Amino acid sequence: MTAYELLSLVPLLLASLVPVSLVVGAFLVPRERSRFSTVATFVTTLAAVLAYLAVILRPLLSWAGYDALTTRPGSAMHDVVQLDIVSSAMFVLVCTLAVVVVRHSQRYLAGQRGLDRYARYLLLTVASVTVLVTTNHLAVLIVAWFATDVGLHQLLTFFRTRRQAIIVAHKKFLLSRVADACFVSAIVLVGSTMGSLRIDVVNTVAQTNGALSPTVHIATILLVFGVLLKTAQVPFHGWMLQVMEAPTPVSALLHAGVVNIGGFVMIRLAPLMAHAPIAQSILVGVGLFTTIAASLVMTTRVAIKGVLAWSTIGQMGFMLVQCGLGAWHMALMHLLAHSLYKAHTFLSAGSVVTQWRASHIVHGARASGWHLLGGTALVGFAVAPFYAATLFLTGHESPGITPLAFVLGLSFVPMIARAIAAGGRALRLTAGLTVGVSALYFGWHFAFEEIAPLITMGTSTSTPQWSLVLGGLVVLFLTQSILQTRPSGRFANWLQPHLLSGLYIDDWFTRVTFRLWPPGLE
């Protein structure tokens, strides 16, 4: 290997060292409580620095002509690591989150027993996730996902004397093993049909051939079912609601860096999934139902962690809807934004509870129907300019941009209506937030279309799917508006008891699964 070729592989080599350093650090964690955090902090910081260097050097060397894909296209290194825009973003996110979680764990778990075991499995879990998000091989991805689940299971049962924690971990274990069976079956079908399990090769073949064979169609459906199981979609969502028995840092890692892996995998396989209409329709149908159910049930929850759990379920549902519609760039932005938000929310749960209590000591003015109409009018003035600017900059109407703009505007209406009811200061702050988010939303749409054309080329334009999603979100908006403006009305009195029980879905699912395989409780 020449020096030129070696230099081109430096980013991939640095990225490969990240999981290696985390695994080595996991086995070097001492048993002494006073020293375990030092090792864990050093290892995660080192991993983050290596990840940053790999992600920064990759485009710089490519721009300078040192591109590993052109110098050594058949290198085995490409089976190990691939640093495109999707994997790089997730890679940096996970490594940064690991540093924050470890430092928070030092204070949160101070004085607890078994901290060496906790640190060891935390590092191994993060190492598995880093392999998962950077690998270019489907078999390695599935193995890394399995290892992530094994490590996470140990973290969820850190408090071994808590009966509820054991039950929840058992439910998640059952669902994960069914998902693993779907994944293994899918990659066997893909490998036998396409002749390769390299993600870039599979995507290229799918994009070149266009129509998929029946065997690959079945494989994509199996992949989707596995993703639905692992992303806590209805009716497989119950474990997410009860997993709060685990330490708060573990909840942050789960909600911000693990449960959203399903969406990441769909985005990585975007060129393949763009030609699988049945699989995409399943994503849209299940994800939309989950989004609507979770959004409505969330309004009845009082406990802050219950609200966060239902929020994650709904957000994962909407992210899968975006994948099903082919809005891959929006799904990636949603994934990153949701991860950062949930990590901050869980790791600052104490202050969130304080803020929530303070905001409910004095009840503000209730939004009325007129406030909602006013909010609808104001949203148009906030969203329309950025929508028009995006059309002007791209020179054409990108697939799905009009429905996405409508969905964005619809999501702002309740917030602006409450701000109108609260007064001028709240309205000014809300208007500024709306303008800022709109600018970020459409700016990301334009930027991603320019820097990742391979993914945006696979954007779906299925009118029935868009119509279904828009209709479902309008129904959700109207239902929430009625509950907000008339909380004591006949419709609210009929619906609220069902929402309080979570629509009874998890109760049914728990009875069925535990009858087939009951948890081992002492």
Side-chain angles (χ1 to χ4, degrees), residues 137-315:
H137 201 278
L138 284 174
V140 177
L141 187 149
I142 300 305
V143 172
W145 209 343
F146 173 79
T148 300
D149 278 335
V150 172
L152 187 63
H153 180 85
Q154 297 297 323
L155 294 174
L156 293 177
T157 56
F158 175 71
F159 297 118
R160 308 218 173 211
T161 58
R162 295 188 179 182
R163 182 184 181 93
Q164 187 65 27
I166 303 299
I167 293 176
V168 173
H170 177 76
K171 291 173 68 173
K172 186 181 185 305
F173 180 84
L174 294 179
L175 293 173
S176 296
R177 298 297 74 77
V178 176
D180 291 337
C182 292
F183 291 144
V184 171
S185 302
I187 64 172
V188 169
L189 294 177
V190 169
S192 61
T193 304
M194 294 189 168
S196 175
L197 290 178
R198 280 182 50 161
I199 294 176
D200 57 348
V201 173
V202 170
N203 285 334
T204 301
V205 171
Q207 197 169 30
T208 303
N209 296 339
L212 303 179
S213 66
T215 302
V216 179
H217 266 297
I218 295 174
T220 58
I221 294 173
L222 289 171
L223 282 172
V224 165
F225 273 117
V227 167
L228 295 176
L229 288 166
K230 295 231 180 186
T231 52
Q233 297 299 282
V234 176
F236 317 113
H237 65 290
W239 64 269
M240 179 65 72
L241 304 176
Q242 300 143 2
V243 79
M244 302 305 177
E245 290 291 330
T248 296
V250 176
S251 297
L253 179 65
L254 170 64
H255 286 254
V258 176
V259 74
N260 51 22
I261 290 175
F264 164 79
V265 172
M266 291 290 97
I267 298 170
R268 282 293 303 273
L269 295 172
L272 171 67
M273 299 302 300
H275 297 92
I278 299 177
Q280 286 190 293
S281 297
I282 295 173
L283 285 174
V284 171
V286 177
L288 180 62
F289 178 76
T290 299
T291 301
I292 295 174
S295 299
L296 292 176
V297 173
M298 185 175 64
T299 60
T300 64
R301 293 302 182 263
V302 177
I304 184 66
K305 285 194 172 183
V307 173
L308 293 176
W310 278 106
S311 170
T312 296
I313 294 169
Q315 294 291 340

Side-chain angles (χ1 to χ4, degrees), residues 11 74 91 136 153 171 224 274 304 351 401 409 412 417 478 484:
F91 192 34
N136 190 34
H153 180 85
K171 291 173 68 173
V224 165
I304 184 66
S351 59
I401 184 63
F412 285 139
L478 294 175
Q484 181 180 352

Side-chain angles (χ1 to χ4, degrees), residues 11 103 116 155 230 346:
R103 292 181 65 86
D116 58 324
L155 294 174
K230 295 231 180 186
F346 272 99

Side-chain angles (χ1 to χ4, degrees), residues 13-38:
L13 292 171
L14 290 174
S16 301
L17 290 176
V18 171
V20 172
S21 63
L22 290 168
V23 171
V24 172
F27 288 101
L28 294 179
V29 172
R31 293 184 177 274
E32 293 84 354
R33 298 183 186 180
S34 59
R35 294 179 54 201
F36 96 95
S37 58
T38 303

Side-chain angles (χ1 to χ4, degrees), residues 327-370:
W328 308 105
H329 56 306
M330 291 293 104
L332 178 60
M333 185 179 73
H334 190 173
L335 187 155
L336 298 175
H338 175 263
S339 296
L340 295 173
Y341 167 72
K342 280 297 164 64
H344 173 267
T345 303
F346 272 99
L347 297 180
S348 59
S351 59
V352 170
V353 172
T354 302
Q355 294 170 8
W356 185 89
R357 290 179 60 187
S359 65
H360 285 71
I361 292 176
V362 178
H363 295 281
R366 180 181 299 166
S368 64
W370 292 108

